[in-house]
């Protein structure tokens, strides 16, 4: 008897994107799922995707780059991929078995064949919401952790801001909505309401900024540089303001790197995967002790994924943006 056909909704890139991302650039379509049993001799796994994450860097992969980037461009007509939470359906790998809960890179679809399962992380705290492994317990959380503790090496004592508070730092948050300023920081401002970003930073940091966690770029970076302390450190993990621009904005105040003896360093979270399980235990503890607050913006179903991704760039998302593919 032939095996029953299983459908597989997936989100694909329709074309390379220039300028602002729109829903017309990506689409959800239903196709036949891959075989749910791994072939004999394969060391891969087949997973059922439970949650997939929406992250700004995905926009950069939708542009065709003449020079190779740190991660390959998406290919028009093929499924998008990003970090997600999965349940193993079948496995040919000794380290994984059916029923295991894992997180890592997967397709924006219902079922995915992963041929390199050694890239996946097992979930050790299923008592916490599984969706947290798309954010605070996954790649974004590890990015914040490494970007605070390992790169700038703070001298004293959004997740990164709360980690700074835990260690006794004075922390100011900047966000595009007032509602985002609720994470126990010493102060915060809505950059969309500030006519003069340099003045806002001087108001909040009269003695200068020791550590700036850079994930915006553009005008914000230009405003930060004159407000840095002597010997300050800038940690750069992204520049969301630039991803939809056809021509990146220039930065005028770079000379302050010289006069203020600043250190600006970029990093990728992949370089810190060896520290993940130590981070997972520490962050799970902070969550259980309610030392860290966490907010999610969850949409239901892959058909809503294109609009959810765009929300990252319109300022409409409050909390970690993700898609619930299947709740278990």
């Amino acid at each position: 008897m032939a095996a029953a056909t299983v459908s597989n909704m997936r989100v694909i890139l329709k074309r390379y994107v220039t300028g602002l991302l729109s829903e017309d650039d990506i689409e959800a379509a239903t196709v036949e799922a891959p075989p749910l049993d791994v072939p004999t001799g394969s060391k891969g796994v087949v997973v059922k995707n439970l949650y997939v994450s929406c992250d700004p860097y995905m926009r950069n992969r939708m542009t065709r780059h003449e020079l190779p980037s740190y991660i390959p461009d998406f290919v028009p007509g093929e499924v998008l991929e990003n970090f997600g939470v999965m349940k193993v359906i079948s496995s040919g790998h000794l380290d994984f078995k059916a029923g295991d809960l894992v997180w890592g890179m997967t397709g924006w679809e219902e079922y995915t064949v992963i041929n390199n399962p050694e890239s996946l992380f097992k979930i050790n705290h299923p008592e916490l919401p599984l969706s947290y492994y798309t954010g605070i317990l996954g790649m974004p959380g590890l990015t914040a952790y490494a970007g605070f503790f390992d790169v700038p090496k703070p001298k004293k004592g959004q997740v990164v801001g709360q980690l700074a508070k835990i260690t006794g730092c004075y922390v100011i948050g900047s966000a595009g909505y007032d509602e985002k300023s609720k994470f126990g920081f010493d102060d915060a401002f809505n950059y969309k309401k500030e006519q003069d970003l340099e003045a806002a930073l001087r108001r909040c940091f009269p003695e200068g900024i020791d550590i700036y966690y850079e994930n915006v770029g553009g005008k914000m970076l230009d405003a930060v540089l004159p407000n840095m302390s002597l010997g300050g450190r800038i940690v750069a993990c992204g520049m969301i303001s630039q991803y939809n621009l056809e021509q990146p904005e220039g930065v005028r105040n770079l000379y302050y790197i010289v006069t203020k003896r600043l250190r600006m360093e970029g990093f990728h979270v992949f370089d810190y995967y060896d520290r993940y399980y130590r981070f997972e235990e520490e962050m799970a503890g902070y969550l259980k002790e309610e030392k860290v607050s966490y907010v999610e913006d969850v949409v239901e179903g892959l058909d809503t994924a294109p609009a959810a991704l765009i929300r990252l760039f319109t300022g409409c998302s409050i909390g970690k943006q993700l898609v619930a593919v299947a709740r278990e």
Side-chain angles (χ1 to χ4, degrees), residues 258-273:
V258 178
T259 61
K260 290 179 175 285
R261 290 76 143 180
L262 305 178
R263 179 164 65 88
M264 184 172 182
E265 182 176 350
F267 79 101
H268 286 304
V269 68
F270 315 126
D271 299 330
Y272 296 90
Y273 276 178

Side-chain angles (χ1 to χ4, degrees), residues 235-255:
V235 184
C237 74
M239 295 194 176
I240 191 173
S241 70
Q242 306 300 294
Y243 297 159
N244 283 302
L245 301 181
E246 294 186 39
Q247 292 294 328
E249 293 175 327
V251 178
R252 299 175 294 107
N253 288 324
L254 287 176
Y255 190 55

Side-chain angles (χ1 to χ4, degrees), residues 16-66:
Y16 285 120
V17 180
T18 301
L20 187 66
L21 177 67
S22 74
E23 289 190 51
D24 191 48
D25 295 317
I26 45 184
E27 69 176 354
T30 300
V31 298
E32 184 177 336
L36 300 186
D37 291 318
V38 295
T40 302
S42 170
K43 294 185 178 180
V45 298
V46 178
V47 298
K48 180 179 182 179
N49 294 309
L50 306 181
Y51 299 93
V52 292
S53 175
C54 299
D55 292 296
Y57 87 96
M58 296 177 69
R59 168 61 187 85
N60 198 41
R61 296 185 67 185
M62 295 177 182
T63 296
R64 184 175 183 179
H65 294 88
E66 296 300 327

Side-chain angles (χ1 to χ4, degrees), residues 134-193:
T134 67
I136 196 167
L137 288 171
M139 180 276 289
L142 181 60
T143 301
Y145 185 87
F148 179 69
F149 288 113
D150 290 293
V151 182
K153 296 178 173 60
K155 297 175 182 177
K156 291 184 178 181
Q158 211 136 41
V159 175
V160 69
Q162 295 184 75
L163 291 172
K165 283 298 297 178
I166 288 170
T167 59
C169 294
Y170 176 79
V171 181
I172 302 294
S174 169
Y177 273 81
D178 295 333
E179 291 86 346
K180 287 188 176 180
S181 305
K182 294 181 179 179
F183 295 98
F185 298 168
D186 294 286
D187 201 353
F189 64 90
N190 182 339
Y191 66 84
K192 291 184 177 179
K193 292 183 177 179

